mmCIF file of all heavy atoms in Angstrom:
data_model
loop_
_atom_site.group_PDB
_atom_site.id
_atom_site.type_symbol
_atom_site.label_atom_id
_atom_site.label_comp_id
_atom_site.label_asym_id
_atom_site.label_seq_id
_atom_site.Cartn_x
_atom_site.Cartn_y
_atom_site.Cartn_z
ATOM 1 N N ARG B 48 -10.078 -6.163 -9.303
ATOM 2 C CA ARG B 48 -11.607 -6.236 -9.245
ATOM 3 C C ARG B 48 -12.111 -4.992 -8.484
ATOM 4 O O ARG B 48 -13.228 -4.541 -8.821
ATOM 5 C CB ARG B 48 -11.858 -7.501 -8.454
ATOM 6 C CG ARG B 48 -13.160 -8.248 -8.839
ATOM 7 C CD ARG B 48 -13.440 -9.521 -8.038
ATOM 8 N NE ARG B 48 -12.282 -10.521 -8.146
ATOM 9 C CZ ARG B 48 -11.676 -10.988 -6.992
ATOM 10 N NH1 ARG B 48 -11.936 -10.567 -5.806
ATOM 11 N NH2 ARG B 48 -10.750 -11.835 -7.224
ATOM 12 N N CYS B 49 -11.393 -4.396 -7.472
ATOM 13 C CA CYS B 49 -11.877 -3.234 -6.862
ATOM 14 C C CYS B 49 -11.600 -1.959 -7.559
ATOM 15 O O CYS B 49 -11.710 -0.879 -6.985
ATOM 16 C CB CYS B 49 -11.299 -3.226 -5.442
ATOM 17 S SG CYS B 49 -11.904 -4.575 -4.303
ATOM 18 N N GLY B 50 -11.171 -2.055 -8.805
ATOM 19 C CA GLY B 50 -11.009 -0.885 -9.573
ATOM 20 C C GLY B 50 -9.601 -0.144 -9.557
ATOM 21 O O GLY B 50 -9.401 0.864 -10.080
ATOM 22 N N ALA B 51 -8.695 -0.903 -8.956
ATOM 23 C CA ALA B 51 -7.290 -0.243 -8.811
ATOM 24 C C ALA B 51 -6.447 -0.484 -10.184
ATOM 25 O O ALA B 51 -6.896 -1.289 -10.992
ATOM 26 C CB ALA B 51 -6.526 -0.855 -7.619
ATOM 27 N N LYS B 52 -5.437 0.303 -10.212
ATOM 28 C CA LYS B 52 -4.385 0.137 -11.250
ATOM 29 C C LYS B 52 -3.275 -0.664 -10.741
ATOM 30 O O LYS B 52 -2.683 -0.193 -9.764
ATOM 31 C CB LYS B 52 -3.964 1.486 -11.802
ATOM 32 C CG LYS B 52 -5.205 2.244 -12.451
ATOM 33 C CD LYS B 52 -4.679 3.766 -12.749
ATOM 34 C CE LYS B 52 -5.829 4.451 -13.486
ATOM 35 N NZ LYS B 52 -5.538 5.898 -13.656
ATOM 36 N N VAL B 53 -3.172 -1.870 -11.141
ATOM 37 C CA VAL B 53 -2.124 -2.725 -10.507
ATOM 38 C C VAL B 53 -0.801 -2.942 -11.311
ATOM 39 O O VAL B 53 -0.773 -2.872 -12.522
ATOM 40 C CB VAL B 53 -2.717 -4.136 -10.185
ATOM 41 C CG1 VAL B 53 -3.930 -3.922 -9.235
ATOM 42 C CG2 VAL B 53 -3.142 -4.940 -11.399
ATOM 43 N N VAL B 54 0.267 -3.090 -10.566
ATOM 44 C CA VAL B 54 1.465 -3.442 -11.111
ATOM 45 C C VAL B 54 1.839 -4.825 -10.915
ATOM 46 O O VAL B 54 1.868 -5.304 -9.641
ATOM 47 C CB VAL B 54 2.660 -2.548 -10.559
ATOM 48 C CG1 VAL B 54 3.968 -2.830 -11.351
ATOM 49 C CG2 VAL B 54 2.280 -1.049 -10.729
ATOM 50 N N ILE B 55 2.063 -5.665 -11.959
ATOM 51 C CA ILE B 55 2.295 -7.041 -11.767
ATOM 52 C C ILE B 55 3.900 -7.244 -11.902
ATOM 53 O O ILE B 55 4.559 -6.692 -12.741
ATOM 54 C CB ILE B 55 1.733 -7.948 -12.811
ATOM 55 C CG1 ILE B 55 0.235 -7.834 -12.833
ATOM 56 C CG2 ILE B 55 2.116 -9.410 -12.758
ATOM 57 C CD1 ILE B 55 -0.463 -8.362 -11.623
ATOM 58 N N ASN B 56 4.460 -7.939 -10.930
ATOM 59 C CA ASN B 56 5.915 -8.074 -10.830
ATOM 60 C C ASN B 56 6.314 -9.560 -10.654
ATOM 61 O O ASN B 56 5.625 -10.310 -9.927
ATOM 62 C CB ASN B 56 6.543 -7.140 -9.773
ATOM 63 C CG ASN B 56 7.934 -7.682 -9.388
ATOM 64 O OD1 ASN B 56 8.130 -8.219 -8.204
ATOM 65 N ND2 ASN B 56 8.878 -7.536 -10.215
ATOM 66 N N GLY B 57 7.389 -9.994 -11.191
ATOM 67 C CA GLY B 57 8.066 -11.331 -11.005
ATOM 68 C C GLY B 57 9.249 -11.336 -11.861
ATOM 69 O O GLY B 57 9.787 -10.278 -12.424
ATOM 70 N N ARG B 58 9.769 -12.581 -12.019
ATOM 71 C CA ARG B 58 10.967 -12.708 -12.922
ATOM 72 C C ARG B 58 10.623 -13.424 -14.307
ATOM 73 O O ARG B 58 11.388 -13.404 -15.068
ATOM 74 C CB ARG B 58 12.057 -13.491 -12.235
ATOM 75 C CG ARG B 58 12.546 -12.668 -10.984
ATOM 76 C CD ARG B 58 13.374 -13.456 -10.136
ATOM 77 N NE ARG B 58 12.538 -14.608 -9.551
ATOM 78 C CZ ARG B 58 13.042 -15.632 -8.964
ATOM 79 N NH1 ARG B 58 14.391 -15.691 -8.656
ATOM 80 N NH2 ARG B 58 12.224 -16.604 -8.630
ATOM 81 N N ASN B 59 9.404 -14.020 -14.366
ATOM 82 C CA ASN B 59 9.113 -14.740 -15.521
ATOM 83 C C ASN B 59 8.047 -14.050 -16.500
ATOM 84 O O ASN B 59 6.871 -13.879 -15.952
ATOM 85 C CB ASN B 59 8.479 -16.178 -15.096
ATOM 86 C CG ASN B 59 7.969 -16.895 -16.172
ATOM 87 O OD1 ASN B 59 7.863 -16.551 -17.296
ATOM 88 N ND2 ASN B 59 7.834 -18.296 -15.985
#
Side-chain angles (χ1 to χ4, degrees):
R48 215 179 299 126
C49 295
K52 297 172 177 173
V53 300
V54 184
I55 300 294
N56 160 251
R58 294 164 303 172
N59 175 346

